[in-house]
Amino acid sequence: MKLRTFTKTAGAVLLGGVVATSMAATAQADYPEKPIKIMVGFSAGGGTDTTARGFASYIHEAEAMNGMPAVIINKPGGSGMVAAKIVKDGQPDGYTLYMINSGSFAAAVMAAKGKSPVDPRTDFTNLGCVSQLISGLMVHASDPNQSASDWVKSAKESGKTIRWSTSGAATMHALLGHLFLDTNGIKHQVIPFKGGSTARNALIAQKVDASFNGVHLTAGFESELKVLGIPTAKRDTANPDVATFGEQGLPALNITGPMCLWGPKGMPAETVAKLEAAVKHVSTVKGFGTFMKKSQLATFHMTSAEGTENINTLFDTLQPVVDKTLN
């Protein structure tokens, strides 16, 4: 009797396990069954918010999304880390995701010096990228230099300390500025502002000699400032007339901030695959490209594997800059 009772119980447990596994598989197969929330860690109107809203406008068209839309939730604070923690601590079911460019993500975590509530390398799954923020060396329109290489030569020959603006003390743009100026042997003093627009405006008012800022912020201000070079391997398709540093005989640096969709660790593999497919789809939609071009941002597709490799490279490249500049 005891043996038969044990056998029956074991069978029930086994059956229960099969049913649970089947239900989980069905849930994954049906994903998504409701709208997806995309958290943005910055206020409305910036490059991250613009990309997220453009992305959300087209994700429902991806076959893998079952026609389900995405809604944007702005939760500014902590250089994006408040929103990131919400996603990290949420259920890994694919319904609460995060969008941020990898450069900002890495910079915020490194600036916290071990006290960040999240780490993209251990707490998140990269689901692919659809655009990127590119920093550039900007000067006032009246500056006689027409290239970054000419500007570097002029700055070094002047012997003066270059005062430059940027969007914050610990942003990707700021770290790039330090790296570029130090690598090229230029004496400098950073003047950090709260946001890229105010840093740009300081340059327009000629309160600083230069600025390291998002190239997309030049839209509408072309008569007042110019971009002399960018730290990418290839030219930015949204700003094809701007040469890379490498093209000008300077250290290329190759630093960009791919705008990626992130989910928490532990998401079901099938859900991850569907979201990766949706990211790839949106990156190819003509309407999304047109929308982004209005903000002077280019669209492209970076796979989750490439996005993961990119952020690891950013940490490796920028960590020494953080250690030196953010004491």
Side-chain angles (χ1 to χ4, degrees):
M1 289 293 292
K2 289 183 178 180
L3 178 60
R4 281 196 292 272
T5 301
F6 175 79
T7 302
K8 182 178 180 181
T9 302
V13 170
L14 178 61
L15 178 60
V18 171
V19 172
T21 301
S22 176
M23 289 177 64
T26 300
Q28 290 179 36
D30 292 341
Y31 172 87
E33 297 181 295
K34 60 182 180 180
I36 296 164
K37 294 186 292 185
I38 299 179
M39 306 293 296
V40 174
F42 305 96
S43 300
T48 303
D49 179 74
T50 297
T51 304
R53 291 183 185 279
F55 179 82
S57 297
Y58 294 97
I59 189 174
H60 68 281
E61 296 180 1
E63 183 178 353
M65 289 294 100
N66 297 333
M68 287 295 165
V71 294
I72 302 301
I73 299 177
N74 295 89
K75 195 75 172 179
S79 298
M81 295 303 97
V82 172
K85 191 173 187 302
I86 292 173
V87 176
K88 173 199 169 186
D89 294 342
Q91 291 294 320
D93 54 11
Y95 287 104
T96 303
L97 307 173
Y98 184 51
M99 183 164 276
I100 190 173
N101 82 77
S102 298
S104 295
F105 210 169
V109 172
M110 287 186 287
K113 293 185 174 294
K115 297 181 180 180
S116 173
V118 303
D119 189 320
R121 298 167 297 179
T122 57
D123 300 326
F124 286 80
T125 299
N126 187 296
L127 300 167
C129 316
V130 294
S131 183
Q132 62 183 347
L133 293 187
I134 295 179
S135 296
L137 167 60
M138 299 181 187
V139 296
H140 193 268
S142 63
D143 191 300
N145 296 294
Q146 299 301 315
S147 69
S149 56
D150 287 344
W151 184 87
V152 166
K153 181 180 178 181
S154 177
K156 294 173 74 172
E157 289 178 348
S158 73
K160 74 174 188 177
T161 298
I162 299 298
R163 298 175 75 253
W164 57 282
S165 66
T166 192
S167 57
T171 63
M172 176 186 72
H173 306 304
L175 297 181
L176 169 70
H178 283 289
L179 181 60
F180 177 85
L181 294 166
D182 288 344
T183 300
N184 287 287
I186 297 171
K187 293 186 296 183
H188 62 96
Q189 178 188 3
V190 61
I191 312 295
F193 288 83
K194 291 184 177 180
S197 296
T198 51
R200 175 197 62 204
N201 294 342
L203 177 61
I204 291 173
Q206 294 185 282
K207 294 180 180 179
V208 292
D209 303 305
S211 183
F212 284 87
N213 215 335
V215 176
H216 65 286
L217 292 175
T218 61
F221 297 89
E222 293 84 356
S223 64
E224 298 172 279
L225 52 80
K226 54 189 175 184
V227 184
L228 298 183
I230 54 176
T232 56
K234 298 179 180 179
R235 293 197 182 196
D236 178 21
T237 56
N239 300 277
D241 294 333
V242 180
T244 68
F245 292 147
E247 286 180 295
Q248 300 180 54
L250 299 171
L253 303 184
N254 197 18
I255 297 173
T256 65
M259 195 67 73
C260 307
L261 188 66
W262 306 79
K265 285 293 184 184
M267 295 170 61
E270 189 168 345
T271 298
V272 170
K274 287 186 174 184
L275 287 166
E276 289 176 340
V279 168
K280 183 177 182 180
H281 170 79
V282 174
S283 71
T284 65
V285 174
K286 184 177 180 180
F288 178 60
T290 301
F291 174 83
M292 295 298 290
K293 190 174 182 179
K294 292 179 181 178
S295 297
Q296 214 160 325
L297 293 166
T299 57
F300 74 108
H301 178 243
M302 182 178 281
T303 67
S304 58
E306 291 168 338
T308 299
E309 180 181 1
N310 173 267
I311 200 162
N312 289 335
T313 299
L314 284 169
F315 270 91
D316 292 341
T317 303
L318 298 178
Q319 186 65 62
V321 183
V322 171
D323 295 340
K324 180 178 179 180
T325 60
L326 302 178
N327 297 322

